[in-house]
Amino acid sequence: MLNWILKQPDSTKKVPQAKIASTYKWRQFGVLLATCIGYIGYYIIRLVFTTEQNDIMKEYHFTTANIGLILSCFGIGYGVAKLFMGVFADKCDANRYLMVGLLLSAILNIFLGSTQNLYLMMFLMFLMAITQGMGAAACQKMIQLWWGPRMRGTMYSIWSSAHNAGSFICVAIVQLAVFLFSGSISAVFYTASAISFVICILILVLGADRPKVVGLPDIATYTGDKVILDNGQVLTTDQTNLSVSQIFVKYILKNKLVWAVTLTSMSLYLVRYGIQSWIPSYLVQNKGFDPASAKWIIGIFELASVPGVIIIGAISDALKGRRALVSIACVIGTLICLTVYFFSMDHTMIIIALILMGNLIYAPLTLVGLMINEVVPKFAVGASTGFMGFFQYIFGETLATALIGALVTKFGWIASNTVLYGASIIAIIFLLYTAIKETKLRQETIK
């Protein structure tokens, strides 16, 4: 299995010059489908537990703190996994890497649905998080290798919105499984895994690691794509002889923009999971929603953001890659929606606020994910994705699950509100730095 997922050599059979443009389009379409469908599969598996949290608490006699502990195990495992699995992705065939991660996640999900032991569930969630860490790095790498800067923001947004669709599909699968199997929690987990096994096959059929593997020129040759580092250096290559440690130190740890974007993303992840992970509990306990409606609202929160995220990604392309400025506007809008969500008791207003927040949170999260890849060479995309993911989940999601769960148990939901406001403001501060830095680099490059 290890040799099978390692990076494949360039194809010796080249696509004829006259067919390069048409072949590129078809291959790009296949890669887009593979990354989108694949990541939908990852999120179907990832959100089963979150979606079923109320039923699990009732049937397994778990507390809010217990649920927070299990979710935090995923956050910790996923953060560590994204760092190491992201670095490893740079040395692997990204498409096969994507498939293997989903396959292993689906298998672990079956075991998760077969136990009611708190500690075993925590351990299985941690293991699943490691396999889930293979997904984003593989997808982001393929997008960087298959599209130039003029379309990358749009394509990246389309891919990123796949996890929103996956979240809604997860809710639909849960509800269907509950109906078909008389409310069996185990059956819900098994159904999600079965669907993900089918998706694994589609990934292999549709995707491809990089253009040269299928006989096409690399994206730098095809579109003139280039990467501008924080020191003004311009790079175009997607291959290197540097070791993993050399790449990580030179292009990640010593890159100020990588740090700024990473800390922005960490703050935004705290906001994202501080809302998403607690929607069922918060709405039932504070706003008078019934449990069934609250469960569906998770899906609405995710799915409603799809068109907005794609549109905002396209806007960032139209503004010549000024992604930090677009993100600042989104976070300011998020602060306004948070206020409505926290203080309104009108169900319609709360749902509208969640729909808007879905767009305003996921759009900057999508853009910072793209920004972290655009400030490093293509041979370091997996490493940059993993580095950012480490902070997103070790600090962002863990604070949003374990910490908020504990704070709410002790101080009430006002503690959650305070944490989310503070994280949003911190994100704006780092985005301002990033926007100023990006502008200076762009001006220096023009000169």
Side-chain angles (χ1 to χ4, degrees):
M1 177 68 77
L2 181 59
N3 289 333
W4 184 73
I5 65 174
L6 290 176
K7 190 178 292 294
Q8 305 301 303
D10 297 345
S11 175
T12 56
K13 185 178 180 180
K14 306 299 181 184
V15 174
Q17 186 68 33
K19 295 184 177 181
I20 287 178
S22 60
T23 304
Y24 234 108
K25 289 179 181 179
W26 278 109
R27 286 290 184 175
Q28 285 174 326
F29 183 65
V31 169
L32 185 62
L33 284 178
T35 54
C36 288
I37 295 172
Y39 217 51
I40 284 174
Y42 272 79
Y43 264 78
I44 288 173
I45 295 296
R46 186 181 306 183
L47 284 180
V48 171
F49 184 88
T50 297
T51 305
E52 285 292 274
Q53 63 182 253
N54 281 324
D55 291 337
I56 289 173
M57 281 192 284
K58 181 179 179 181
E59 186 167 329
Y60 297 179
H61 306 293
F62 285 176
T63 65
T64 303
N66 293 149
I67 296 296
L69 278 174
I70 296 171
L71 291 173
S72 68
C73 285
F74 182 91
I76 293 169
Y78 195 59
V80 173
K82 287 201 87 173
L83 179 60
F84 293 101
M85 298 307 225
V87 172
F88 190 49
D90 286 327
K91 301 298 182 181
C92 292
D93 181 299
N95 195 57
R96 295 179 180 182
Y97 197 71
L98 176 67
M99 188 283 293
V100 170
L102 180 57
L103 178 66
L104 295 174
S105 294
I107 293 171
L108 288 168
N109 190 60
I110 292 174
F111 290 111
L112 186 63
S114 303
T115 181
Q116 297 184 22
N117 182 281
L118 173 64
Y119 300 106
L120 182 55
M121 293 180 81
M122 291 170 64
F123 178 66
L124 287 169
M125 190 67 87
F126 179 82
L127 291 181
M128 186 191 296
I130 293 174
T131 60
Q132 286 271 316
M134 300 169 70
C139 291
Q140 290 179 224
K141 189 169 185 64
M142 283 194 280
I143 290 170
Q144 288 293 314
L145 294 175
W146 277 97
W147 280 277
R150 291 185 179 180
M151 289 296 294
R152 191 179 293 139
T154 303
M155 295 301 122
Y156 192 94
S157 297
I158 292 173
W159 163 73
S160 182
S161 67
H163 79 262
N164 303 96
S167 300
F168 180 82
I169 293 170
C170 178
V171 174
I173 289 171
V174 166
Q175 298 294 70
L176 178 62
V178 167
F179 173 76
L180 292 176
F181 302 106
S182 303
S184 169
I185 292 176
S186 295
V188 171
F189 284 85
Y190 301 158
T191 303
S193 291
I195 292 172
S196 293
F197 289 145
V198 176
I199 292 175
C200 286
I201 298 172
L202 293 175
I203 293 171
L204 288 181
V205 172
L206 296 169
D209 176 45
R210 64 188 193 280
K212 283 190 172 183
V213 170
V214 293
L216 291 166
D218 60 42
I219 196 65
T221 302
Y222 186 61
T223 67
D225 185 30
K226 59 186 178 181
V227 175
I228 306 171
L229 304 182
D230 69 333
N231 60 5
Q233 182 183 3
V234 178
L235 294 176
T236 60
T237 181
D238 60 9
Q239 301 291 317
T240 182
N241 292 322
L242 294 175
S243 68
V244 168
S245 59
Q246 288 173 324
I247 292 172
F248 195 76
V249 172
K250 182 175 181 180
Y251 295 109
I252 307 299
L253 293 182
K254 293 184 177 180
N255 191 325
K256 293 179 182 177
L257 270 176
V258 165
W259 279 100
V261 175
T262 294
L263 294 174
T264 298
S265 185
M266 180 191 74
S267 302
L268 291 174
Y269 257 67
L270 201 163
V271 178
R272 169 191 170 183
Y273 279 99
I275 295 171
Q276 182 201 62
S277 296
W278 299 107
I279 283 175
S281 299
Y282 180 74
L283 294 184
V284 171
Q285 295 176 22
N286 294 272
K287 304 297 183 179
F289 283 76
D290 65 87
S293 297
K295 189 183 295 184
W296 272 108
I297 289 172
I298 296 176
I300 293 172
F301 172 73
E302 298 286 338
L303 187 63
S305 68
V306 172
V309 168
I310 295 173
I311 290 170
I312 292 171
I315 289 173
S316 76
D317 280 342
L319 294 176
K320 302 182 185 298
R322 291 178 174 84
R323 312 197 198 279
L325 288 176
V326 175
S327 297
I328 289 171
C330 290
V331 180
I332 291 173
T334 296
L335 283 168
I336 296 171
C337 291
L338 277 174
T339 303
V340 175
Y341 181 63
F342 291 148
F343 297 106
S344 176
M345 294 301 295
D346 184 278
H347 286 195
T348 302
M349 289 296 294
I350 291 170
I351 293 173
I352 291 173
L354 280 169
I355 290 172
L356 291 175
M357 276 196 292
N359 290 280
L360 295 171
I361 292 172
Y362 282 113
L365 276 173
T366 297
L367 294 179
V368 296
L370 179 55
M371 288 156 57
I372 199 75
N373 296 155
E374 290 184 329
V375 297
V376 299
K378 287 183 171 54
F379 52 77
V381 166
S384 68
T385 301
F387 182 74
M388 183 172 71
F390 176 81
F391 282 86
Q392 287 172 338
Y393 286 90
I394 290 295
F395 299 103
E397 186 183 0
T398 301
L399 290 174
T401 52
L403 178 62
I404 286 181
L407 289 175
V408 168
T409 299
K410 187 170 184 179
F411 301 107
W413 288 99
I414 189 65
S416 170
N417 303 0
T418 304
V419 170
L420 298 184
Y421 276 131
S424 299
I425 293 171
I426 291 172
I428 290 175
I429 293 171
F430 283 113
L431 281 169
L432 284 169
Y433 169 81
T434 304
I436 294 170
K437 185 72 173 177
E438 283 182 340
T439 300
K440 289 182 178 178
L441 288 175
R442 190 179 292 107
Q443 291 173 345
E444 291 175 5
T445 304
I446 293 174
K447 293 178 183 179

